[in-house]
Amino acid sequence: MPLTSVTAYESLIDRLSITEKDKGKSILIINSGGGVGSVACQLAKLLGLKVIGTASRPESMKFSKESGAHIVLNHTENLVEQLQNNKISEVDFILVNYDPYNYWDTLMMLIKPQGKICLVVDSSGLVDLKQLKAKSITLVSEMMFTRIVYNTDDKYRHTEILEEVSKMLDNGKLKSTLTKVITPINAVNIREAHRLIEEKKSIGKIVISGFK
């Protein structure tokens, strides 16, 4: 949970600057069935946001809803049309846990004027930043190791976040996104875990556990 929780927490709180004042606003979480996405769904719901996730398979859609998404869209189909079918035309925040390249024009259409977008994954191609200007969109990026790698003045923030996440896990406000354990730790099982991830069909997090 530490890596995904810190990434999701920093994305919502530190990068998108979401506070209790934003209660009732909407957030679109691209790839809500993954490790970061499923934690972000939980945190966003706790913050009082209307959470809209994206997935494609029945099991990942179900997992997204169990993680707190109020609506789950199929990201292999037109997101704009699906949102409109849910009587939503634009969203206040977007968290992108997948390559934003193919989503870029869609993101520009769906984000509200003066809205905020956070990218967790690098773009595989060049995108047109000029599209941000008309709506005065804030674009931010999240990398959980930034504070550590660059020894920033606020690097202690990781301790605060981990302590808060630990409390939330202990009191049941946040639940583990662990969905599969492979044991023992060996070359065969490491290859198997990678195969599952490379197929892009995994849900939540996979753990390899136990030396023999």
Side-chain angles (χ1 to χ4, degrees), residues 37 153 155 200:
D153 291 339
K155 59 183 177 293
K200 298 181 180 179

Side-chain angles (χ1 to χ4, degrees), residues 162-175:
L162 289 170
E163 287 178 348
E164 179 64 21
V165 167
S166 178
K167 291 176 184 177
M168 294 170 76
L169 285 165
D170 286 342
N171 63 28
K173 287 186 176 181
L174 196 65
K175 64 181 181 180

